[in-house]
Amino acid sequence: MEKYQKLTGIAAPMPLINIDTDMIIPKVFLKTIKRSGLGVNLFAEMRYNDDGSEKDDFVLNQPAYRDAEIIVAGDNFGCGSSREHAPWAIKDFGVRCVVSTGFADIFFSNCFKNGILPIVLPKEQVDLLMKDAEKGANARMTVDLEAQEITTSDGEVIAFDVDAFKKHCLLEGLDDISLTLAKADAIQSFEQQAQQSRPWV
Amino acid sequence: MSPTTLYDKIWDAHVADQTEDGTCLLYIDRHLVHEVTSPQAFEGLRMAGRKVHAPDKTIAVPDHNVPTTPDRVNGIENEEGRIQVAALDKNARDFGVHYYPMNDVRQGIVHIVGPEQGWTLPGMTVVCGDSHTATHGAFGALAHGIGTSEVEHVLATQTLIQKKSKNMKVEITGKLQPGVTAKDITLAVIGETGTAGGTGYVIEYCGEAIRDLSMEGRMTVCNMAIEGGARAGLIAPDQTTYDYVMGRPHAPKGAQWDAALTWWKTLFTDENAVFDKVVTLRGEDIAPVVTWGTSPEDVLPITATVPFATDFEGGKVDAAARSLAYMGLESGTKLTDIKIDTVFIGSCTNGRIEDLRAVAGVVKGKKIKEGMRALIVPGSGLVRAQAEEEGLAEIFLDAGFEWRMAGCSMCLAMNPDQLEAGERCAATSNRNFEGRQGRGGRTHLVSPVMAAAAALTGHLTDIRDFL
């Protein structure tokens, strides 16, 4: 995975609450056996008409937000299905950071595996960032993972929390499987002990 | 030792490694795999030259894409679906994992096959690249959905990198009223907590009304823990659990059974154990419920009316307005006046034999409303076979239902079973999201008996009218 760099970009406001992974990537696009190329299908049912033309009122179709790299979202973003196609589509579109008051557990975890930083902030701060995002393309936010800070287009700085291990993996672009395989001895010794204590498993 | 919860106990028994910040390697006892969320994971293994660490603990079955019409023995018509199922066929063979191919009678929805075959046992950790893995929590197993990267991680290492969740207790006291089912319990809980109410928690369901449920009912309750945002739902194992598990193909036998049972009997929450959050509902207060909107938290008793967006607060006002428009509903309409075009009975939530028996009890000797499309999709080939043996299939066919082969079907409509735009469905599945059952399709989540009643009358119906 690529190392997560400091990001300065356009933020798209999506205040709707409970945006689920069926909205993020509808099931018709889950038939792929690849990880790539899903960006064009991101939010497909909200973004396109039945004939494939764009819906003008959808935020990512508006000129100001076509190149958004950040999404500021309503509560409980990413709820529903575990489909990793959701973060794959978000990443493929070009978004590398999503800010909300909360994320569904599986989606949250999936983001980190794909170089996307999900940031949880209190409602007042998400509201403030939503307002900033609504200013359009000239208003660019900066997300600095290293410093754990978001800087609004007005220069206001908002600090955020992130799990130290997950932060380390994002910044260094680390692959989880290699990290875990380095602990093969611990896994083997657990298996030997489990074979004794729970042989029926 | 300080008192611990059921979740604490299962968690502690599976930590293979822990670092100072609390990040753990959680050992996984059972890894269930289906065709939609696994191809990229197996491909990742191939690219890295890795093997499946524990193929004997890995069970694969195609379910999401498979057609449910009997002609599927001739193959899957949709090319992409066919490729995905063929990829699972090949991956299962190449990597040597347990496999139930589409035309095996044991094939079915992965969360129905696992318990049915005795792969799911109390005290286990169970994962699958599917959010409804929560189902297996009914056995007192710590079971949750994972993404495809984590599927690959489990295939390669048999572990997950995890931090522990918080403990939440959901207690349902007392007895259920006639016509009220496990589905109504789980929907009522989500109505109470909201879809994010369980985020960051593992829920333990307890109380008399939960104890009184069969294993099928408990699976229905735990299945939708994810719809409340929880990582997993759990119910402590008891005699009901042991009776269900005993004799299943992959359940322990003989001395191993005795040893397992001894351990399983230690799997309960100690008295005075502390929960971070507690929700209590009175079983007597739960009515047969239905969802009106496009979030599983949009739950109301069937006797209620369609709400107004302005009944809500904050971001829910806009969300409710959007839901009402999508659902084509006018506020103030009685829920029982909502006409239904299609009834879908099945899914990992309500596709088990007990669900089908309940439906048969309602529709026996009756006919579904003229013009109604009504599908019954058993959760597995074995559920289908049993329903045929018990004469249920005949009852369904006589009433006018379509009687299908096993699969996920119209729950997520990845196969040909889909709603048309504007088509309104009473469904026993788990999600009423926009487009879930087909672009523009409108879903009302209900229990199997409520779905059966709607099929007969042509509109959402209070099952208590039939009692």
Side-chain angles (χ1 to χ4, degrees), chain A residues 17-18 20 22 27 30-35 45-46 48 50 76 80-82 84 88 103 105-106 109-110 113 163 177-178 180-181 183 190-191 198-201, chain B residues 13-14 17 19 27 29-30 36 40 50 53 65 84 129-131 145 147-150 152-153 159 161 163 195 199 231 256 260 297 412 414 431 433 435-436 438-439:
Chain A
I17 64 168
N18 295 333
D20 57 68
D22 275 81
K27 70 221 162 243
L30 306 191
K31 290 180 185 284
T32 177
I33 55 172
K34 296 181 185 148
R35 284 179 161 96
E45 290 181 9
M46 303 167 89
Y48 304 111
D50 288 347
N76 196 29
S81 156
S82 63
E84 198 163 319
W88 293 338
F103 295 89
D105 197 47
I106 303 173
S109 172
N110 283 342
K113 316 283 183 194
D163 179 272
I177 297 178
S178 305
T180 299
L181 287 174
K183 294 181 175 175
F190 179 89
E191 285 179 324
R198 297 184 298 127
W200 60 87
V201 174
Chain B
H14 289 85
D17 184 69
T19 52
Y27 193 81
D29 293 326
R30 292 286 181 265
V36 176
Q40 295 88 349
R50 289 172 178 142
H53 181 86
N65 270 301
Q84 229 170 26
D130 190 283
S131 57
T148 298
S149 295
E150 289 181 318
E152 185 178 341
H153 192 277
T159 64
I161 301 173
K163 271 194 173 168
T195 50
T199 304
R231 177 172 292 175
Q256 294 239 342
E297 70 190 15
L412 86 166
M414 273 193 79
R431 289 194 174 127
F433 296 154
R436 172 78 179 182
R439 185 172 181 151

Coordinates of all heavy atoms in Angstrom, one line a residue, chain A residues 17-18 20 22 27 30-35 45-46 48 50 76 80-82 84 88 103 105-106 109-110 113 163 177-178 180-181 183 190-191 198-201, chain B residues 13-14 17 19 27 29-30 36 40 50 53 65 84 129-131 145 147-150 152-153 159 161 163 195 199 231 256 260 297 412 414 431 433 435-436 438-439:
Chain A
I17 N -27.8 11.5 6.7 CA -27.3 10.5 7.7 C -27.5 9.1 7.2 O -28.2 8.9 6.2 CB -28.1 10.7 9.0 CG1 -29.6 10.4 8.9 CG2 -27.8 12.1 9.6 CD1 -30.3 10.3 10.2
N18 N -26.9 8.2 7.8 CA -27.0 6.7 7.5 C -26.8 6.4 6.0 O -27.5 5.6 5.5 CB -28.4 6.2 7.9 CG -28.7 6.3 9.4 OD1 -27.8 6.2 10.2 ND2 -29.9 6.4 9.8
D20 N -25.6 4.2 3.5 CA -25.2 2.8 3.7 C -24.3 2.4 2.5 O -24.2 3.1 1.5 CB -26.4 2.0 3.8 CG -27.4 2.1 2.6 OD1 -27.0 1.7 1.5 OD2 -28.5 2.7 2.8
D22 N -24.9 0.0 0.4 CA -25.6 -0.2 -0.8 C -25.7 1.1 -1.6 O -25.8 1.1 -2.8 CB -27.1 -0.7 -0.4 CG -27.2 -2.2 -0.2 OD1 -26.8 -2.6 0.9 OD2 -27.6 -2.9 -1.1
K27 N -25.3 -3.2 -5.5 CA -24.9 -4.6 -5.6 C -24.6 -5.0 -7.0 O -23.8 -6.0 -7.2 CB -26.0 -5.5 -5.1 CG -27.2 -5.5 -6.0 CD -28.5 -5.4 -5.3 CE -29.6 -5.0 -6.2 NZ -30.2 -3.7 -5.7
L30 N -21.0 -5.6 -7.6 CA -20.3 -6.5 -6.7 C -19.9 -7.8 -7.5 O -19.3 -8.7 -6.9 CB -21.1 -6.9 -5.5 CG -21.7 -5.8 -4.6 CD1 -22.2 -6.3 -3.3 CD2 -20.6 -4.7 -4.3
K31 N -20.3 -7.9 -8.7 CA -20.0 -9.1 -9.4 C -18.6 -9.2 -10.0 O -18.2 -10.1 -10.6 CB -21.0 -9.3 -10.6 CG -22.5 -9.6 -10.1 CD -23.4 -9.8 -11.2 CE -24.9 -10.0 -10.8 NZ -25.1 -11.3 -10.3
T32 N -17.9 -8.1 -9.7 CA -16.5 -8.1 -10.2 C -15.6 -9.0 -9.4 O -15.9 -9.3 -8.3 CB -15.9 -6.6 -10.2 OG1 -14.6 -6.7 -10.6 CG2 -16.0 -6.1 -8.8
I33 N -14.6 -9.5 -10.0 CA -13.6 -10.3 -9.3 C -12.3 -9.5 -9.1 O -11.3 -10.0 -8.7 CB -13.3 -11.7 -9.9 CG1 -12.9 -11.6 -11.3 CG2 -14.6 -12.6 -9.8 CD1 -12.4 -12.9 -12.0
K34 N -12.4 -8.2 -9.4 CA -11.2 -7.3 -9.2 C -11.5 -6.3 -8.1 O -12.6 -6.0 -7.7 CB -10.9 -6.6 -10.5 CG -10.5 -7.5 -11.6 CD -10.2 -6.7 -12.9 CE -9.9 -7.6 -14.0 NZ -10.3 -7.0 -15.3
R35 N -10.4 -5.6 -7.7 CA -10.6 -4.5 -6.7 C -10.7 -3.1 -7.4 O -11.1 -2.2 -6.8 CB -9.4 -4.4 -5.8 CG -9.3 -5.5 -4.7 CD -8.0 -5.3 -3.9 NE -8.0 -6.0 -2.6 CZ -7.5 -7.2 -2.4 NH1 -7.0 -7.9 -3.4 NH2 -7.6 -7.7 -1.2
E45 N -26.6 4.9 -7.9 CA -28.0 5.2 -8.0 C -28.4 6.6 -7.6 O -29.4 7.2 -8.0 CB -28.8 4.2 -7.1 CG -28.8 2.8 -7.7 CD -29.6 1.7 -7.0 OE1 -30.3 2.1 -6.1 OE2 -29.4 0.6 -7.4
M46 N -27.5 7.3 -6.8 CA -27.7 8.7 -6.4 C -27.2 9.6 -7.5 O -27.6 10.7 -7.6 CB -27.1 9.0 -5.1 CG -27.5 8.1 -3.9 SD -26.4 8.3 -2.5 CE -27.1 9.6 -1.6
Y48 N -26.5 8.7 -11.0 CA -26.9 8.6 -12.4 C -28.4 8.3 -12.5 O -29.0 7.6 -11.7 CB -26.2 7.4 -13.1 CG -24.7 7.5 -13.0 CD1 -23.9 6.6 -12.2 CD2 -24.0 8.5 -13.7 CE1 -22.6 6.7 -12.1 CE2 -22.6 8.6 -13.6 CZ -21.9 7.7 -12.9 OH -20.5 7.8 -12.8
D50 N -31.6 6.5 -14.8 CA -31.7 5.2 -15.4 C -31.0 5.1 -16.7 O -30.5 4.0 -17.1 CB -33.2 4.8 -15.5 CG -33.8 4.5 -14.2 OD1 -33.1 4.4 -13.2 OD2 -35.1 4.5 -14.1
N76 N -23.2 8.2 11.0 CA -23.2 6.7 10.7 C -23.0 6.4 9.3 O -23.7 5.6 8.6 CB -24.6 6.2 11.2 CG -24.7 4.7 11.3 OD1 -23.7 4.1 11.6 ND2 -25.8 4.1 11.1
G80 N -24.4 -0.9 7.1 CA -24.9 -2.0 6.3 C -23.9 -3.0 5.9 O -23.1 -3.4 6.7
S81 N -24.0 -3.4 4.7 CA -23.2 -4.6 4.2 C -21.7 -4.4 4.4 O -21.2 -3.2 4.4 CB -23.5 -4.7 2.7 OG -22.4 -5.3 2.0
S82 N -21.0 -5.5 4.5 CA -19.5 -5.4 4.8 C -18.7 -5.2 3.5 O -17.5 -5.1 3.6 CB -19.1 -6.8 5.4 OG -19.3 -7.8 4.5
E84 N -16.3 -4.6 0.8 CA -15.1 -3.7 0.7 C -15.1 -2.9 -0.6 O -14.3 -2.0 -0.8 CB -13.8 -4.5 0.9 CG -12.6 -3.7 1.3 CD -11.5 -4.5 1.8 OE1 -11.7 -5.4 2.7 OE2 -10.3 -4.2 1.5
W88 N -13.2 0.6 -1.9 CA -12.5 0.5 -3.2 C -13.1 1.5 -4.1 O -12.3 2.2 -4.8 CB -12.7 -0.9 -3.8 CG -12.0 -2.1 -3.1 CD1 -11.0 -1.9 -2.2 CD2 -12.4 -3.5 -3.1 NE1 -10.7 -3.2 -1.7 CE2 -11.5 -4.1 -2.3 CE3 -13.3 -4.2 -3.8 CZ2 -11.5 -5.5 -2.1 CZ3 -13.4 -5.6 -3.7 CH2 -12.5 -6.2 -2.8
F103 N -18.9 6.1 12.1 CA -18.9 5.2 11.0 C -19.3 3.8 11.5 O -19.1 3.5 12.6 CB -17.4 5.1 10.5 CG -16.9 6.3 9.9 CD1 -16.2 7.2 10.7 CD2 -17.1 6.6 8.5 CE1 -15.7 8.4 10.1 CE2 -16.5 7.7 8.0 CZ -15.9 8.7 8.8
D105 N -18.8 0.0 11.9 CA -17.6 -0.7 12.4 C -16.8 -1.4 11.2 O -15.6 -1.2 11.1 CB -18.1 -1.8 13.3 CG -17.0 -2.4 14.1 OD1 -16.2 -1.6 14.7 OD2 -16.9 -3.6 14.2
I106 N -17.5 -2.1 10.4 CA -16.8 -2.9 9.3 C -16.2 -1.9 8.3 O -15.1 -2.0 7.8 CB -17.7 -3.9 8.7 CG1 -18.2 -4.9 9.7 CG2 -16.9 -4.7 7.6 CD1 -19.3 -5.9 9.2
S109 N -13.1 -0.1 9.5 CA -11.9 -1.0 9.4 C -11.5 -1.2 8.0 O -10.3 -1.1 7.7 CB -12.3 -2.3 10.0 OG -11.3 -3.2 9.9
N110 N -12.4 -1.3 7.0 CA -12.1 -1.5 5.6 C -11.4 -0.3 5.1 O -10.5 -0.5 4.2 CB -13.4 -1.7 4.8 CG -13.9 -3.2 5.0 OD1 -13.2 -4.1 5.4 ND2 -15.2 -3.3 4.6
K113 N -7.6 -0.4 5.5 CA -6.9 -1.4 4.7 C -6.7 -0.9 3.3 O -6.1 -1.6 2.4 CB -7.8 -2.7 4.6 CG -8.4 -3.2 5.9 CD -7.3 -3.8 6.8 CE -8.0 -4.3 8.0 NZ -7.0 -4.7 9.1
D163 N -6.4 5.8 16.1 CA -5.7 4.6 16.7 C -4.2 4.6 16.3 O -3.9 4.7 15.1 CB -6.4 3.3 16.2 CG -5.7 2.1 16.8 OD1 -4.8 1.6 16.2 OD2 -6.2 1.7 17.9
I177 N -0.9 -8.3 6.5 CA -0.6 -9.8 6.5 C 0.9 -10.0 6.8 O 1.2 -10.9 7.6 CB -1.0 -10.4 5.1 CG1 -2.5 -10.3 5.0 CG2 -0.6 -11.9 5.1 CD1 -3.1 -10.8 3.7
S178 N 1.7 -9.2 6.2 CA 3.2 -9.4 6.5 C 3.5 -9.1 8.0 O 4.2 -9.9 8.6 CB 4.0 -8.4 5.7 OG 3.7 -8.5 4.3
T180 N 1.4 -9.6 10.5 CA 0.9 -10.7 11.3 C 1.8 -12.0 11.0 O 2.1 -12.7 12.0 CB -0.5 -11.0 10.9 OG1 -1.3 -9.9 11.2 CG2 -1.1 -12.2 11.7
L181 N 2.2 -12.2 9.8 CA 3.1 -13.4 9.6 C 4.4 -13.3 10.3 O 5.0 -14.4 10.6 CB 3.3 -13.6 8.1 CG 2.1 -14.1 7.3 CD1 2.4 -14.1 5.8 CD2 1.6 -15.5 7.7
K183 N 4.5 -12.7 13.2 CA 4.2 -13.3 14.6 C 3.7 -14.7 14.4 O 2.9 -15.2 15.3 CB 3.0 -12.4 15.2 CG 3.5 -11.0 15.5 CD 2.4 -10.2 16.2 CE 2.9 -8.9 16.6 NZ 1.8 -8.0 17.1
F190 N -0.3 -20.6 20.0 CA -1.8 -20.6 20.4 C -2.5 -21.8 19.9 O -3.3 -22.4 20.6 CB -2.4 -19.3 19.8 CG -3.9 -19.3 20.1 CD1 -4.4 -18.7 21.3 CD2 -4.8 -19.9 19.3 CE1 -5.7 -18.6 21.6 CE2 -6.2 -19.8 19.6 CZ -6.6 -19.2 20.7
E191 N -2.2 -22.2 18.6 CA -2.8 -23.4 18.0 C -2.5 -24.7 18.8 O -3.4 -25.5 19.0 CB -2.4 -23.5 16.6 CG -3.1 -22.5 15.7 CD -2.7 -22.6 14.2 OE1 -1.5 -22.9 13.9 OE2 -3.6 -22.3 13.4
R198 N -9.2 -27.2 23.6 CA -10.4 -27.3 22.8 C -10.2 -28.2 21.6 O -10.3 -27.7 20.4 CB -10.9 -25.9 22.4 CG -11.2 -25.0 23.6 CD -11.8 -23.7 23.2 NE -10.8 -22.9 22.4 CZ -11.1 -22.4 21.2 NH1 -12.2 -22.5 20.6 NH2 -10.1 -21.7 20.5
P199 N -9.9 -29.5 21.8 CA -9.5 -30.3 20.6 C -10.6 -30.5 19.6 O -10.4 -30.9 18.5 CB -9.2 -31.7 21.3 CG -9.9 -31.6 22.6 CD -9.9 -30.2 23.1
W200 N -11.9 -30.3 20.0 CA -13.0 -30.5 19.1 C -13.1 -29.4 18.0 O -13.8 -29.5 17.0 CB -14.3 -30.5 19.9 CG -14.6 -29.2 20.6 CD1 -15.3 -28.1 20.2 CD2 -14.3 -28.9 22.0 NE1 -15.3 -27.2 21.1 CE2 -14.7 -27.6 22.2 CE3 -13.6 -29.7 23.0 CZ2 -14.5 -27.0 23.5 CZ3 -13.4 -29.0 24.2 CH2 -13.9 -27.7 24.5
V201 N -12.4 -28.3 18.3 CA -12.5 -27.2 17.3 C -11.7 -27.6 16.0 O -12.1 -27.3 14.9 CB -11.9 -25.9 17.9 CG1 -11.8 -24.8 16.8 CG2 -12.8 -25.4 19.0
Chain B
A13 N -10.3 -16.2 25.4 CA -9.9 -17.6 25.0 C -9.3 -17.6 23.5 O -8.9 -18.6 23.1 CB -11.1 -18.5 25.0
H14 N -9.4 -16.4 22.9 CA -8.9 -16.4 21.5 C -7.8 -15.4 21.1 O -7.5 -15.2 20.0 CB -10.1 -16.2 20.5 CG -11.0 -17.4 20.5 ND1 -12.0 -17.6 21.4 CD2 -11.1 -18.5 19.6 CE1 -12.7 -18.7 21.1 NE2 -12.1 -19.3 20.1
D17 N -2.1 -13.0 20.5 CA -1.0 -12.1 20.8 C -1.6 -10.7 21.1 O -2.7 -10.4 20.6 CB -0.2 -11.9 19.5 CG 1.0 -11.0 19.7 OD1 1.9 -11.4 20.5 OD2 1.0 -9.9 19.2
T19 N -0.5 -6.5 21.9 CA 0.5 -5.5 22.1 C 0.1 -4.5 23.2 O -1.1 -4.6 23.6 CB 0.8 -4.8 20.8 OG1 -0.4 -4.3 20.3 CG2 1.5 -5.7 19.8
Y27 N -7.6 -15.2 17.3 CA -7.6 -16.5 16.5 C -9.0 -16.8 16.1 O -10.0 -16.7 16.8 CB -7.0 -17.6 17.4 CG -6.7 -18.8 16.5 CD1 -5.5 -18.9 15.8 CD2 -7.7 -19.9 16.3 CE1 -5.3 -19.9 14.9 CE2 -7.4 -20.9 15.5 CZ -6.2 -21.0 14.8 OH -5.9 -22.0 14.0
D29 N -11.7 -19.5 14.7 CA -12.0 -21.0 14.7 C -12.7 -21.4 13.4 O -12.5 -22.5 12.9 CB -12.9 -21.3 15.8 CG -12.2 -21.2 17.2 OD1 -11.0 -21.4 17.2 OD2 -12.9 -20.8 18.2
R30 N -13.6 -20.5 12.8 CA -14.3 -20.9 11.6 C -14.3 -19.7 10.7 O -14.7 -18.6 11.1 CB -15.7 -21.3 11.9 CG -15.9 -22.6 12.7 CD -15.6 -23.8 11.9 NE -15.8 -25.0 12.7 CZ -14.8 -25.7 13.3 NH1 -13.5 -25.2 13.2 NH2 -15.0 -26.8 13.9
V36 N -19.0 -13.7 -3.4 CA -18.9 -12.2 -3.8 C -17.7 -11.5 -3.1 O -17.1 -10.6 -3.7 CB -20.2 -11.5 -3.4 CG1 -20.2 -10.1 -3.7 CG2 -21.4 -12.2 -4.2
Q40 N -11.2 -11.6 -4.7 CA -10.0 -10.7 -4.6 C -9.0 -11.2 -3.5 O -7.8 -11.0 -3.6 CB -10.4 -9.3 -4.3 CG -11.2 -8.6 -5.4 CD -12.7 -8.9 -5.3 OE1 -13.2 -9.7 -4.5 NE2 -13.5 -8.2 -6.1
R50 N 1.0 -17.3 -1.2 CA 0.6 -17.8 0.1 C -0.4 -18.9 0.0 O -1.2 -19.0 -0.9 CB 0.0 -16.7 1.0 CG 1.1 -15.7 1.4 CD 0.5 -14.4 2.0 NE 1.5 -13.5 2.5 CZ 1.5 -12.2 2.4 NH1 0.4 -11.6 2.0 NH2 2.5 -11.4 2.8
H53 N -4.0 -20.9 5.6 CA -3.4 -21.4 6.8 C -4.1 -22.6 7.4 O -3.4 -23.6 7.8 CB -3.3 -20.3 7.8 CG -2.7 -20.6 9.1 ND1 -1.3 -20.5 9.3 CD2 -3.2 -21.1 10.3 CE1 -1.0 -21.0 10.5 NE2 -2.1 -21.3 11.1
N65 N -25.2 -15.0 -5.6 CA -25.4 -14.9 -7.0 C -26.3 -16.0 -7.6 O -26.8 -15.9 -8.7 CB -24.1 -15.1 -7.8 CG -23.4 -13.8 -8.0 OD1 -24.0 -12.9 -8.6 ND2 -22.2 -13.6 -7.5
Q84 N -18.1 -15.5 -11.1 CA -17.9 -15.4 -9.7 C -18.0 -16.7 -9.0 O -17.2 -17.1 -8.2 CB -18.8 -14.4 -9.1 CG -18.0 -13.4 -8.2 CD -18.9 -12.2 -7.7 OE1 -20.1 -12.3 -7.6 NE2 -18.3 -11.1 -7.4
G129 N -16.9 -12.8 5.2 CA -16.9 -11.6 4.5 C -18.4 -11.2 4.2 O -18.8 -11.1 3.0
D130 N -19.1 -11.0 5.2 CA -20.6 -10.8 5.1 C -21.1 -10.3 6.5 O -20.8 -10.9 7.5 CB -21.3 -12.1 4.7 CG -22.7 -11.8 4.4 OD1 -23.5 -11.6 5.3 OD2 -23.0 -11.8 3.2
S131 N -21.8 -9.2 6.4 CA -22.1 -8.5 7.7 C -23.1 -9.4 8.5 O -23.1 -9.3 9.8 CB -22.7 -7.2 7.4 OG -23.8 -7.3 6.6
G145 N -18.9 -9.9 10.7 CA -18.6 -9.7 9.3 C -17.2 -9.0 9.2 O -16.8 -8.3 10.1
G147 N -14.3 -7.3 6.0 CA -14.1 -7.0 4.6 C -13.2 -8.0 3.9 O -12.7 -8.9 4.5
T148 N -13.0 -7.7 2.6 CA -12.3 -8.7 1.8 C -10.8 -8.7 2.2 O -10.1 -9.8 2.1 CB -12.4 -8.4 0.3 OG1 -13.8 -8.5 0.0 CG2 -11.6 -9.3 -0.6
S149 N -10.2 -7.5 2.5 CA -8.8 -7.5 3.0 C -8.6 -8.4 4.2 O -7.6 -9.1 4.4 CB -8.3 -6.1 3.3 OG -8.4 -5.3 2.2
E150 N -9.6 -8.4 5.1 CA -9.6 -9.2 6.3 C -9.8 -10.7 6.0 O -9.3 -11.5 6.6 CB -10.6 -8.7 7.3 CG -10.1 -7.4 7.9 CD -11.1 -6.8 9.0 OE1 -12.3 -6.9 8.8 OE2 -10.6 -6.3 10.0
E152 N -8.7 -12.1 3.3 CA -7.4 -12.5 2.9 C -6.5 -12.7 4.1 O -5.7 -13.7 4.2 CB -6.8 -11.5 1.9 CG -5.5 -11.9 1.3 CD -4.9 -10.9 0.3 OE1 -5.7 -10.1 -0.2 OE2 -3.7 -11.0 0.1
H153 N -6.6 -11.8 5.1 CA -5.8 -11.9 6.3 C -6.1 -13.2 7.0 O -5.2 -13.9 7.5 CB -6.1 -10.7 7.2 CG -5.1 -10.5 8.3 ND1 -5.2 -11.2 9.5 CD2 -4.0 -9.8 8.4 CE1 -4.2 -10.8 10.3 NE2 -3.4 -10.0 9.7
T159 N -6.0 -15.5 11.7 CA -6.2 -14.5 12.8 C -6.8 -13.2 12.2 O -6.7 -13.0 11.0 CB -4.9 -14.1 13.5 OG1 -4.0 -13.5 12.6 CG2 -4.3 -15.3 14.1
I161 N -6.5 -8.8 13.1 CA -6.0 -7.8 14.0 C -7.2 -7.0 14.5 O -8.0 -6.4 13.8 CB -5.1 -6.8 13.2 CG1 -3.9 -7.6 12.6 CG2 -4.6 -5.7 14.1 CD1 -3.0 -6.8 11.7
K163 N -9.2 -4.8 18.0 CA -9.3 -4.3 19.4 C -10.6 -4.7 19.9 O -11.6 -4.8 19.2 CB -9.1 -2.8 19.4 CG -7.6 -2.4 19.5 CD -7.5 -0.9 19.8 CE -6.0 -0.6 20.1 NZ -5.8 0.8 20.2
T195 N -29.8 2.7 14.2 CA -28.8 1.9 13.5 C -27.4 2.1 13.9 O -26.5 1.3 13.6 CB -28.9 2.1 12.0 OG1 -28.8 3.5 11.7 CG2 -30.2 1.5 11.4
T199 N -22.9 0.7 17.7 CA -21.6 0.9 17.1 C -20.6 0.9 18.2 O -20.7 1.7 19.2 CB -21.5 2.2 16.3 OG1 -22.5 2.2 15.3 CG2 -20.2 2.4 15.7
R231 N -20.9 -4.9 16.5 CA -20.0 -5.7 15.8 C -20.5 -7.2 15.8 O -20.4 -7.9 14.8 CB -18.6 -5.7 16.5 CG -17.6 -6.7 15.8 CD -16.2 -6.6 16.3 NE -15.7 -5.3 15.9 CZ -14.5 -4.9 16.3 NH1 -13.7 -5.6 17.1 NH2 -14.0 -3.7 15.9
Q256 N -15.2 -36.2 23.0 CA -15.0 -34.8 22.6 C -16.3 -34.0 22.9 O -16.2 -32.8 23.3 CB -14.7 -34.7 21.1 CG -13.4 -35.4 20.8 CD -12.4 -34.4 20.1 OE1 -12.8 -33.4 19.6 NE2 -11.1 -34.7 20.1
A260 N -16.4 -30.8 25.3 CA -16.9 -29.5 24.7 C -18.0 -29.0 25.6 O -18.0 -27.8 26.0 CB -17.4 -29.7 23.3
E297 N -34.0 1.1 11.2 CA -34.5 1.8 12.5 C -35.9 2.4 12.3 O -36.5 2.8 13.3 CB -33.5 2.9 12.9 CG -33.4 4.1 12.1 CD -32.3 5.0 12.4 OE1 -31.4 4.6 13.2 OE2 -32.3 6.2 12.0
L412 N -30.9 -9.4 -1.4 CA -30.0 -8.3 -2.0 C -30.0 -8.3 -3.5 O -29.3 -7.5 -4.1 CB -28.6 -8.4 -1.4 CG -27.6 -9.4 -2.1 CD1 -26.2 -9.1 -1.7 CD2 -28.0 -10.8 -1.9
M414 N -28.9 -9.9 -6.0 CA -27.8 -10.0 -6.9 C -28.0 -11.1 -8.0 O -27.3 -11.2 -9.0 CB -26.5 -10.5 -6.2 CG -25.7 -9.3 -5.6 SD -24.1 -9.7 -5.0 CE -23.2 -9.8 -6.6
R431 N -32.8 -5.8 5.3 CA -32.4 -4.4 4.9 C -33.5 -3.8 4.0 O -33.9 -4.4 3.0 CB -31.0 -4.3 4.2 CG -30.0 -4.6 5.2 CD -28.6 -4.3 4.8 NE -27.7 -4.4 5.9 CZ -26.6 -5.2 5.9 NH1 -26.2 -5.7 4.8 NH2 -25.8 -5.3 7.0
F433 N -32.9 -0.7 2.6 CA -32.1 0.4 2.0 C -32.7 0.7 0.6 O -33.2 -0.2 -0.1 CB -30.6 0.0 1.9 CG -29.9 -0.2 3.2 CD1 -28.8 -1.0 3.2 CD2 -30.3 0.4 4.3 CE1 -28.1 -1.2 4.3 CE2 -29.6 0.2 5.5 CZ -28.5 -0.6 5.5
G435 N -32.9 0.8 -3.1 CA -32.3 0.0 -4.1 C -31.9 -1.4 -3.7 O -31.4 -2.2 -4.5
R436 N -32.0 -1.7 -2.4 CA -31.5 -3.0 -1.9 C -32.1 -4.2 -2.7 O -31.3 -5.1 -3.1 CB -31.9 -3.1 -0.4 CG -31.6 -4.5 0.2 CD -30.1 -4.6 0.5 NE -29.9 -5.9 1.1 CZ -28.7 -6.3 1.6 NH1 -27.6 -5.5 1.4 NH2 -28.5 -7.5 2.1
G438 N -33.6 -4.1 -5.6 CA -33.7 -3.8 -7.0 C -33.9 -2.3 -7.1 O -34.5 -1.7 -6.2
R439 N -33.3 -1.7 -8.1 CA -33.3 -0.2 -8.2 C -34.7 0.3 -8.2 O -35.5 -0.1 -9.0 CB -32.5 0.2 -9.5 CG -32.4 1.7 -9.5 CD -31.5 2.2 -10.7 NE -31.5 3.6 -10.7 CZ -30.4 4.4 -11.1 NH1 -29.4 3.8 -11.6 NH2 -30.5 5.7 -11.0

